[in-house]
Amino acid sequence: LLKESVRLAAKTVFAAADVPYRVRPGPRILIYHQIGAGPGRQMAVTEEAFEGQVRWLTENGTIVSLQEALDRAGEPGSEELFVLTFDDGYRDMYEKAFPLLASEKIPFTVYVTTRPVETGEPLFPGGRADPVSWSELEAMQSELMTVGAHTHTHPDLRAVDSDTVERELDESDRLIEERLSVRPEHFCYPYGYWSSSADGAVRSRYRSATLGAGGDLLADTDPYLVPRIPIQLSDGMFFFKRKMRSGMRLEEVVRRRVAGYVGVTQDA
């Protein structure tokens, strides 16, 4: 209870710090992980919150594919374009989010970490983090779903050498292509942390790469350093709307510093 009270107080301060900022330009690319899993982790939003957030997005703009958002980033009014991305590939995303997305014909991207999908073992310990299966990914395949690469074992790429990076990407790409008959064109850095040892390999393989957070998505944004907006359990609707407006920028700055991440210019 104390932890939640502190988190709420901090979010209130971060939201207040956003007041002087104008509406940030460019499309908003949202980060989701688990939907309705209920473990209490910040990366696992409730099913009710997700449904409310999707409803708000469709009422206040247009949810588009990742590639469309990248292509239209410089257009007037692109701040009303939204992209739904789901990291790692959890079964609850298939069970709780996909039915809504399919019924409303909403495009989305799943960045797949392939080893858990291949083995069936959870990516993270602690329960309620079962991975999606290849058959479930195949069932979601349509013009709505973009399959992105997210490495094979989800290492922090800042902490590995270039040979390990190549192996991670090779195995990820191979499994996605073999199991789903599609070559991934988009990549997401694990934990959202850019890595100098991975940058060259990522640029040689994919059309884009996304990070965990960052600045605005503009016409001249490097397509291999695409910023996103993390959506958390504690956001609810009030802080969610604030993130869609001005991004809760200070919250992301503080979170990155606490995590020891110093950004793109150098690895932590």
Side-chain angles (χ1 to χ4, degrees):
L1 182 60
L2 177 60
K3 186 176 181 179
E4 291 303 313
S5 297
V6 171
R7 179 178 286 114
L8 177 61
K11 279 186 172 289
T12 302
V13 171
F14 297 144
D18 255 9
V19 170
Y21 289 105
R22 59 184 171 82
V23 174
R24 65 189 306 172
R28 285 88 163 102
I29 302 181
L30 287 63
I31 309 171
Y32 285 100
H33 287 82
Q34 293 188 260
I35 307 298
R41 293 188 289 266
Q42 282 298 303
M43 60 180 250
V45 305
T46 67
E47 188 174 359
E48 294 75 19
F50 177 73
E51 291 174 355
Q53 289 162 2
V54 169
R55 183 167 57 252
W56 186 92
L57 295 174
T58 57
E59 292 172 353
N60 290 273
T62 305
I63 301 175
V64 299
S65 69
L66 175 63
Q67 189 60 55
E68 182 174 351
L70 296 174
D71 292 342
R72 297 177 60 187
E75 292 183 5
S78 60
E79 68 277 1
E80 295 180 356
L81 300 178
F82 306 104
V83 179
L84 302 181
T85 68
F86 298 85
D87 286 9
D88 305 334
Y90 295 97
R91 179 165 297 157
D92 51 73
M93 180 269 154
Y94 169 75
E95 295 174 340
K96 305 293 179 60
F98 177 61
L100 171 64
L101 302 177
S103 67
E104 299 296 326
K105 294 182 170 52
I106 294 172
F108 61 97
T109 294
V110 180
Y111 288 112
V112 180
T113 304
T114 50
R115 185 175 70 176
V117 181
E118 186 73 3
T119 65
E121 298 174 358
L123 177 58
F124 298 107
R128 299 186 182 180
D130 291 335
V132 69
S133 67
W134 289 117
S135 62
E136 289 164 344
L137 283 168
E138 189 175 24
M140 289 191 287
Q141 273 193 291
S142 68
E143 68 277 3
L144 294 177
M145 185 178 78
T146 298
V147 178
H150 199 37
T151 73
H152 182 57
T153 67
H154 202 277
D156 184 339
L157 295 181
R158 300 172 300 168
V160 301
D161 59 26
S162 58
D163 288 342
T164 302
V165 170
E166 293 287 354
R167 288 194 297 271
E168 284 284 336
L169 302 186
D170 282 344
E171 188 66 358
S172 170
D173 292 349
R174 180 187 70 80
L175 285 169
I176 291 173
E177 191 165 16
E178 286 184 0
R179 303 293 188 259
L180 301 176
S181 301
V182 61
R183 185 77 174 180
E185 295 185 334
H186 303 277
F187 178 75
C188 175
Y189 280 93
Y191 307 102
Y193 297 150
W194 175 84
S195 163
S196 60
S197 64
D199 184 75
V202 168
R203 289 175 184 271
S204 70
R205 292 169 180 259
Y206 309 106
R207 297 180 65 181
S208 77
T210 53
L211 306 176
D216 303 321
L217 177 54
L218 306 174
D220 60 353
T221 296
D222 187 332
Y224 296 95
L225 302 173
V226 176
R228 297 186 296 164
I229 302 173
I231 306 303
Q232 299 176 297
L233 175 65
S234 57
D235 285 337
M237 283 304 298
F238 178 82
F239 295 115
F240 174 82
K241 292 177 184 179
R242 179 70 70 178
K243 285 184 173 183
M244 294 304 100
R245 180 185 182 278
S246 51
M248 296 274 286
R249 301 163 193 248
L250 181 58
E251 180 181 42
E252 288 309 310
V253 170
V254 172
R255 182 180 295 116
R256 285 172 163 224
R257 293 294 175 84
V258 170
Y261 180 61
V262 295
V264 173
T265 57
Q266 58 180 317
D267 290 354

